[in-house]
Amino acid sequence: MAAAAAAAAVTVSSAGSLLAMLQEPEPELKLHALACLNSLVHAFWHEISTSVSSIESLYEDEEFDQRQLAALVASKVFFHLGELNDALSYALGAGALFDVADDSDYAQTLLAKALDEYAAIRSGAAGEEKTMDPRLEAIVERMLDKCILDGKYQQAMGMAVECRRLDKLEAAISRCDNLHGALSYCINLSHQYVSHREYRLEILRCLVKIYQTLPNPDYLSICQCLMFLDESDTVASILDKLISGSKDDALLAYQAAFDLAENENQAFLLNVRNHLDTLNSTHANPDSTPALPSDHAANAATEPSGDVQMGDDVNMPNGSALTVDPNKVAHADRLTKIKNILSGETSIQLTLQFLYSHNKSDLLILKTIKQAVEMRNSVCHSATICSNAIMHAGTTVDTFLRENLEWLGRATNWAKFSATAGLGVIHRGHLQQGRALMAPYLPQNGAIGSASPYSEGGALYALGLIHANHGEGIKEFLRESLRNTSSEVVQHGACLGLGLAALGTADEEICEDIKNVLYTDSAVAGEAAGVGLGLLMVGTASEKATEMLAYAHDTQHEKIISVW
């Protein structure tokens, strides 16, 4: 039959005779006509389309043995007519005759159409429930299985992710020679192409499960996935296990902590640190491990673990002796280091040292700008101050300001606010000395009139800039400053500072403090309160946004409305 069809393809110049054979009563003749038309349809589709109803009737005739062949011919005709929905419908009816390995435009177009249709039904993108056609599912599964068998694992993983078939995703990954590479590829797929958050989390959970079954799990990737899943307790358990192991395991834990810290998810990192403290307090046994004297405890935390030998006796004040376990000392040292990494202190210190030692800013440029600016031009005065802050951002170099204190003092009102806040940009990350540096400008225990409110507000904003996303040590001071003032300018700076210091933590107490300022309906303070709440809740998808939007509709202040 195939040889006859091939010969017909060479000699036939019209499909009219074959179409006439479709009207014959003998099934053999109809079968012969369909087989020939199947090979000729791409050349004579315009002629066959006039009789497509006859082909459709053969497909609908349940007594006809070759209904699938009729469906395939009808599908090809509708494809050339541009009716892709009908073409796909008949292609599904063709069953196994529709070859998913065919490289023709017809097959590739309908396969893409089938994939899109299947993915839309699985994801519910149409907004209505649709019943999955088992024939459509069969074709998609054949496509996925074919890709896996052919070794096209990335293509199979991409289709599995798009079609929400995590079982096929696991199958493709398990067959891949480079498991770690395949898992990394899937992580990138989930972040770049999966817009639905819940489904992306399902993919990451699936990948974490596969990672954990490997003989040598990639803890760096596992911790990254768990961060997106917000499973801080699991991350803490992994880090605690690693720092309790060999030196190489501890180094791996440090690297994982650095990778997590780079994402600057303050709320997650704080949770990991808290869980680490909980784990280690649970592991401690106060009955068998007496507390060290304070002096020795301080030394043990700083001395290398190798300096303490097994069985060393430490003289106690009462004459008793205590045997120090070097493993516990080493673990405590590692725990301190990893907590410093997670808090960002280690990275920040390294960054500050680098920026300070590689500071190449030219003070002559600022001097020239300062001399060129008119004495009474406040706009240019503020621009010069901002230029200095940007030039020296993070370097802790405030030489220009110290050498021009009189000139700096000419700033008034909001220019003074910006000038003071500029110190926060210069000293960004200087967590240990930040408050001491800003002390001359900060509110003094709620005293009124101790300084310009613009300087005080700018100083509070500067503290937020210094402790941006690392505000655990300063947020209480900022909250107290916010509660103890009635000046809207100081409230403005405190709200901005709190938002930066508690970035993304969704702290309920800070949220209430800022909302109280917002509800005073002050344009100046309310604008900063809106920005502060946005910073506080960034990335949390909090339902409080609805409440804030409702307030934005009620207020008459355009500054507050524009923030929301």
XYZ file of all heavy atoms in Angstrom, residues 415-460:
325
model
N 16.905 71.172 52.817
C 18.297 71.028 52.394
C 19.144 70.536 53.560
O 20.068 69.729 53.388
C 18.823 72.361 51.875
N 18.842 71.018 54.778
C 19.550 70.538 55.968
C 19.222 69.059 56.212
O 20.086 68.266 56.619
C 19.156 71.392 57.179
C 19.959 71.086 58.443
C 19.488 71.967 59.590
C 19.891 73.427 59.377
N 21.357 73.613 59.519
N 17.975 68.688 55.971
C 17.554 67.287 56.112
C 18.383 66.393 55.178
O 18.936 65.370 55.588
C 16.056 67.181 55.774
C 15.476 65.796 55.885
C 14.828 65.397 57.040
C 15.561 64.894 54.839
C 14.273 64.126 57.146
C 15.021 63.632 54.931
C 14.373 63.250 56.089
N 18.501 66.812 53.903
C 19.251 66.027 52.916
C 20.737 65.994 53.243
O 21.403 64.971 53.052
C 19.035 66.597 51.513
O 17.672 66.557 51.153
N 21.256 67.117 53.728
C 22.682 67.172 54.054
C 23.020 66.200 55.180
O 24.032 65.490 55.130
C 23.066 68.592 54.445
N 22.156 66.143 56.177
C 22.400 65.216 57.290
C 22.220 63.770 56.833
O 22.999 62.887 57.210
C 21.451 65.522 58.456
O 21.461 66.927 58.722
C 21.860 64.772 59.697
N 21.200 63.535 56.027
C 20.966 62.185 55.517
C 22.123 61.716 54.649
O 22.407 60.514 54.556
C 19.659 62.141 54.734
N 22.812 62.664 53.997
C 23.953 62.296 53.162
C 25.046 61.592 53.939
O 25.798 60.777 53.385
N 25.147 61.895 55.247
C 26.117 61.192 56.078
C 25.804 59.700 56.148
O 26.715 58.868 56.245
C 26.121 61.783 57.491
C 26.797 63.153 57.654
C 26.517 63.702 59.043
C 28.294 63.028 57.416
N 24.513 59.382 56.091
C 24.120 57.973 56.099
C 24.571 57.245 54.853
O 24.929 56.062 54.897
N 24.545 57.944 53.724
C 25.020 57.336 52.475
C 26.522 57.093 52.555
O 27.014 56.034 52.160
C 24.685 58.252 51.282
C 25.225 57.661 49.980
C 23.181 58.471 51.175
N 27.256 58.066 53.084
C 28.717 57.942 53.181
C 29.110 56.804 54.114
O 30.032 56.038 53.837
C 29.337 59.272 53.657
C 29.099 60.370 52.619
C 30.821 59.115 53.940
C 29.518 61.749 53.075
N 28.381 56.678 55.235
C 28.730 55.667 56.236
C 27.860 54.420 56.124
O 27.728 53.671 57.103
C 28.596 56.262 57.639
C 29.586 57.340 57.929
N 30.905 57.098 58.241
C 29.458 58.697 57.921
C 31.544 58.234 58.430
N 30.690 59.230 58.252
N 27.315 54.187 54.959
C 26.467 53.003 54.732
C 27.187 51.715 55.147
O 28.296 51.427 54.717
C 26.135 52.930 53.238
C 25.620 51.596 52.725
C 24.159 51.400 53.067
N 23.620 50.225 52.391
C 23.584 49.000 52.936
N 24.069 48.798 54.142
N 23.073 47.989 52.271
N 26.552 50.956 56.073
C 27.125 49.703 56.525
C 28.003 49.814 57.753
O 28.454 48.797 58.283
N 28.247 51.038 58.224
C 29.092 51.206 59.404
C 28.241 50.934 60.640
O 27.938 51.842 61.433
C 29.653 52.629 59.434
C 30.959 52.725 60.136
N 31.807 53.792 59.997
C 31.587 51.893 60.998
C 32.883 53.610 60.740
N 32.768 52.470 61.357
N 27.881 49.662 60.855
C 26.895 49.300 61.859
C 27.381 49.558 63.273
O 26.603 49.956 64.142
C 26.529 47.814 61.707
C 26.050 47.366 60.324
C 25.637 45.900 60.355
C 24.877 48.218 59.836
N 28.649 49.308 63.523
C 29.149 49.409 64.888
C 29.189 50.852 65.380
O 28.903 51.138 66.536
C 30.561 48.798 64.972
C 30.627 47.339 64.535
C 29.757 46.440 65.387
O 29.576 46.705 66.576
N 29.208 45.397 64.794
N 29.561 51.789 64.504
C 29.762 53.179 64.911
C 28.704 54.130 64.351
O 28.817 55.337 64.516
C 31.154 53.666 64.458
C 32.305 52.855 65.011
C 32.415 52.991 66.518
O 32.120 54.040 67.069
N 32.826 51.915 67.180
N 27.709 53.577 63.680
C 26.728 54.429 63.010
C 26.021 55.390 63.936
O 25.928 56.597 63.663
N 25.548 54.886 65.059
C 24.806 55.760 65.976
C 25.718 56.794 66.601
O 25.328 57.956 66.784
C 24.140 54.917 67.051
C 23.266 55.726 67.990
C 22.468 54.830 68.899
N 21.762 55.584 69.912
C 21.007 55.060 70.873
N 20.840 53.739 70.910
N 20.409 55.809 71.758
N 26.962 56.404 66.912
C 27.911 57.361 67.502
C 28.249 58.464 66.513
O 28.381 59.638 66.894
C 29.185 56.625 67.941
N 28.354 58.112 65.234
C 28.673 59.107 64.212
C 27.559 60.134 64.059
O 27.806 61.318 63.820
C 28.938 58.410 62.876
C 30.250 57.605 62.778
C 30.228 56.715 61.541
C 31.443 58.549 62.721
N 26.330 59.672 64.206
C 25.183 60.567 64.009
C 24.704 61.201 65.317
O 23.754 61.986 65.300
C 24.016 59.782 63.382
C 24.325 59.154 62.028
S 24.981 60.320 60.820
C 23.687 61.535 60.777
N 25.354 60.892 66.435
C 24.895 61.374 67.745
C 24.710 62.886 67.829
O 23.736 63.359 68.429
C 25.868 60.889 68.834
N 25.595 63.715 67.256
C 25.409 65.171 67.387
C 24.123 65.687 66.759
O 23.671 66.789 67.091
C 26.631 65.747 66.656
C 27.646 64.659 66.674
C 26.874 63.395 66.581
N 23.550 64.918 65.865
C 22.369 65.392 65.149
C 21.078 64.715 65.609
O 19.980 65.139 65.228
C 22.527 65.129 63.648
C 23.842 65.614 63.076
C 24.902 64.726 62.874
C 24.040 66.946 62.752
C 26.118 65.156 62.362
C 25.250 67.388 62.248
C 26.285 66.487 62.058
O 27.477 66.925 61.553
N 21.185 63.656 66.404
C 20.017 62.865 66.780
C 19.224 63.538 67.890
O 19.773 64.302 68.679
C 20.456 61.474 67.242
C 21.008 60.552 66.151
C 21.626 59.307 66.786
C 19.918 60.157 65.167
N 17.913 63.234 67.973
C 17.109 63.744 69.093
C 17.678 63.242 70.419
O 18.080 62.080 70.537
C 15.712 63.144 68.829
C 15.710 62.798 67.373
C 17.115 62.444 67.014
N 17.724 64.105 71.403
C 18.305 63.766 72.695
C 17.203 63.447 73.698
O 16.613 64.333 74.311
C 19.169 64.928 73.210
C 20.279 65.339 72.267
C 21.269 64.203 72.034
O 21.605 63.483 72.957
N 21.732 64.065 70.804
N 16.901 62.159 73.828
C 15.921 61.694 74.819
C 14.590 62.431 74.731
O 13.983 62.776 75.731
C 16.482 61.841 76.245
C 17.738 61.020 76.450
O 17.847 59.909 75.927
N 18.685 61.563 77.211
N 14.183 62.708 73.528
C 12.893 63.344 73.328
C 12.871 64.821 73.630
O 11.802 65.432 73.671
N 14.040 65.425 73.876
C 14.069 66.860 74.191
C 13.614 67.676 72.998
O 13.954 67.371 71.859
C 15.481 67.263 74.602
N 12.832 68.689 73.260
C 12.334 69.540 72.190
C 13.254 70.734 72.018
O 13.666 71.371 72.988
C 10.898 70.014 72.500
C 9.977 68.791 72.636
C 10.387 70.936 71.419
C 8.567 69.148 73.036
N 13.589 71.047 70.791
C 14.402 72.212 70.509
C 15.874 71.980 70.712
O 16.642 72.932 70.784
N 16.282 70.722 70.894
C 17.694 70.435 71.092
C 18.479 70.683 69.824
O 19.684 70.901 69.875
C 17.869 68.975 71.538
O 17.335 68.098 70.552
N 17.842 70.620 68.709
C 18.496 70.869 67.425
C 17.415 71.142 66.403
O 16.225 71.108 66.709
C 19.345 69.665 67.018
N 17.838 71.462 65.201
C 16.864 71.681 64.148
C 16.105 70.385 63.864
O 16.717 69.316 63.766
C 17.590 72.152 62.879
O 16.740 72.055 61.759
N 14.776 70.441 63.750
C 14.028 69.208 63.436
C 14.459 68.610 62.096
O 14.370 67.398 61.909
C 12.574 69.687 63.410
C 12.645 71.163 63.231
C 13.899 71.609 63.895
N 14.933 69.462 61.191
C 15.381 68.944 59.900
C 16.672 68.138 60.064
O 16.859 67.106 59.402
C 15.588 70.094 58.915
C 14.300 70.789 58.546
C 13.906 71.962 59.197
C 13.469 70.269 57.575
C 12.723 72.599 58.875
C 12.268 70.891 57.247
C 11.900 72.049 57.891
O 10.712 72.671 57.572
N 17.557 68.590 60.950
C 18.771 67.817 61.222
C 18.426 66.508 61.915
O 18.984 65.451 61.598
C 19.729 68.626 62.100
O 20.240 69.735 61.399
N 17.486 66.577 62.864
C 17.112 65.376 63.595
C 16.442 64.364 62.659
O 16.757 63.171 62.693
C 16.181 65.734 64.745
C 16.856 66.546 65.837
C 15.913 66.844 66.989
O 14.712 66.483 66.878
O 16.355 67.425 67.994
N 15.515 64.849 61.857
C 14.855 63.948 60.908
C 15.848 63.360 59.918
O 15.805 62.163 59.608
N 16.739 64.196 59.400
C 17.751 63.706 58.470
C 18.676 62.699 59.122
O 19.110 61.725 58.479
N 18.984 62.894 60.417
C 19.853 61.957 61.132
C 19.176 60.595 61.305
O 19.822 59.544 61.177
C 20.239 62.535 62.482
N 17.882 60.607 61.601
C 17.150 59.343 61.724
C 17.086 58.613 60.380
O 17.216 57.386 60.317
C 15.747 59.604 62.269
C 15.678 60.150 63.696
C 14.249 60.524 64.054
C 16.221 59.127 64.686
